[in-house]
């Protein structure tokens, strides 16, 4: 909205420099950096998600970083509520909210709202997450293709989190997740004026930056983070969808 209070969004792919730019803008314009990365909300994943360092977070206010345990699930709707609260708090303090992240669903939830989603009973959700662990994503994709071909065509066969979500909604409601997603957004979004900086470096430069980041992660203890995450069993963390790359 043209007459709304300003919110700056810094977006772009992994390793494009979003966090550094957001911090620089926040320093220059007395801002607050608000995380919009679906993995950086988890406390145990600082290295694996390239979360800003403790020193960086001390330079300017950072919000919604490491606010959940990896044993919890942070949905787009839950994040949206928290982000709107942090944006309001920043405005009330006379600061510029600088929303930083690359999770498109989170950014759309903030700027456009969310379609209404059904409540799924915990027993149904736990059953699907258990099947995902035991049978794997490919098995869930085959079942979804048989029961809901349109939704299955939209999901990658290896995307276990979204496949389990599609099946649990179908199981709980008898309706495709695609039908729910097609419904108009519900709820009112506060009057905000969004401006976006989209970082889009050349692909070869981005791949080089990703390779360097992976090497730095390994040097800084990423494998220890993985071991600590695995040690959290029997806690379920199948909602986490960390990017992977073969290490040789």
């Amino acid at each position: 909205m043209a007459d709304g209070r300003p919110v700056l969004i810094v977006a772009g792919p992994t390793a494009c420099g979003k966090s550094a730019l957001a911090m620089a803008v926040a320093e220059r314009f007395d801002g607050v950096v608000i995380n919009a990365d679906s993995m950086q909300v988890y406390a145990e994943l600082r290295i694996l998600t390239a979360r800003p360092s403790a020193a960086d977070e001390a330079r300017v206010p950072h919000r919604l970083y490491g606010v959940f345990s990896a044993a919890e699930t942070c949905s787009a709707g839950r994040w949206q509520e928290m982000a709107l609260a942090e944006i309001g708090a920043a405005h009330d303090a006379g600061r510029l909210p600088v929303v930083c992240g690359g999770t498109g669903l989170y950014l759309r939830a903030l700027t456009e709202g969310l379609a209404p989603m059904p409540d799924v009973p915990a027993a149904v959700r736990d059953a699907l997450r258990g099947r995902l662990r035991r049978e794997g994503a490919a098995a869930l994709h085959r079942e979804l293709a048989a029961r809901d071909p349109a939704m299955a065509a939209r999901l990658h066969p290896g995307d276990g989190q979204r496949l389990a979500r599609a099946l649990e909604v179908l199981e709980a409601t008898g309706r495709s997740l695609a039908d729910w997603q097609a419904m108009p957004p519900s709820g009112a979004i506060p009057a905000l004026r969004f401006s976006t900086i989209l970082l889009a470096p050349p692909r070869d430069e981005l791949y080089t930056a990703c390779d360097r980041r992976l090497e730095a992660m390994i040097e800084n203890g990423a494998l220890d983070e993985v071991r600590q995450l695995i040690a959290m069993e029997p806690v379920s963390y199948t909602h986490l969808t960390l990017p992977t790359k073969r290490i040789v």
Side-chain angles (χ1 to χ4, degrees):
M1 298 182 180
D3 57 348
R5 295 195 289 183
V7 178
L8 178 64
I9 296 174
V10 179
T14 298
C16 70
K18 297 185 298 293
S19 296
L21 178 58
M23 185 168 57
V25 171
E27 285 185 313
R28 175 67 177 81
F29 296 100
D30 194 22
V32 176
V33 180
I34 300 171
N35 171 47
D37 184 295
S38 64
M39 291 293 102
Q40 290 184 346
V41 299
Y42 295 109
E44 295 87 351
L45 307 180
R46 180 185 287 275
I47 299 171
L48 289 167
T49 64
R51 177 178 153 190
S53 67
D56 289 339
E57 292 179 1
R59 287 174 57 183
V60 296
H62 282 67
R63 303 288 185 261
L64 303 187
Y65 290 88
V67 292
F68 290 99
S69 164
E72 300 179 81
T73 300
C74 180
S75 66
R78 192 174 184 184
W79 176 86
Q80 179 206 44
E81 293 179 2
M82 298 173 70
L84 288 172
E86 293 294 352
I87 288 170
H91 284 143
D92 291 344
R95 291 178 172 270
L96 173 67
V98 182
V99 178
C100 177
T103 301
L105 178 59
Y106 279 24
L107 295 177
R108 288 194 299 274
L110 179 63
T111 59
E112 302 173 14
L114 286 170
M117 285 289 122
D119 290 329
V120 175
V124 175
R125 182 184 309 110
D126 292 345
L128 263 300
R129 305 295 162 166
R131 286 188 55 197
L132 175 60
R133 290 194 299 273
R134 294 190 305 272
E135 303 172 28
L140 267 59
H141 187 265
R142 287 192 295 271
E143 179 176 339
L144 186 65
R147 299 177 61 185
D148 185 359
M151 193 66 205
R154 294 167 54 175
L155 299 177
H156 189 279
D159 193 342
Q161 178 189 8
R162 290 182 174 84
L163 289 166
R165 173 61 174 164
L167 279 171
E168 71 185 31
V169 169
L170 183 63
E171 189 74 23
T173 69
R175 296 178 60 185
S176 171
L177 179 59
D179 294 339
W180 290 97
Q181 292 175 338
M183 297 176 68
S186 62
I189 298 294
L192 300 172
R193 185 175 75 252
F194 294 103
S195 300
T196 301
I197 298 175
L198 176 62
L199 300 181
R203 189 171 295 271
D204 57 341
E205 294 181 11
L206 192 63
Y207 285 171
T208 299
C210 287
D211 289 342
R212 290 173 178 168
R213 171 172 289 184
L214 177 61
E215 293 171 358
M217 285 179 175
I218 300 301
E219 292 176 0
N220 292 329
L223 297 182
D224 288 335
E225 266 192 2
V226 173
R227 294 185 185 101
Q228 291 168 10
L229 191 65
I230 294 173
M232 292 176 64
E233 290 283 22
V235 172
S236 171
Y237 47 80
T238 55
H239 55 281
L240 303 180
T241 52
L242 293 170
T244 59
K245 179 174 181 176
R246 182 173 180 178
I247 303 172
V248 295

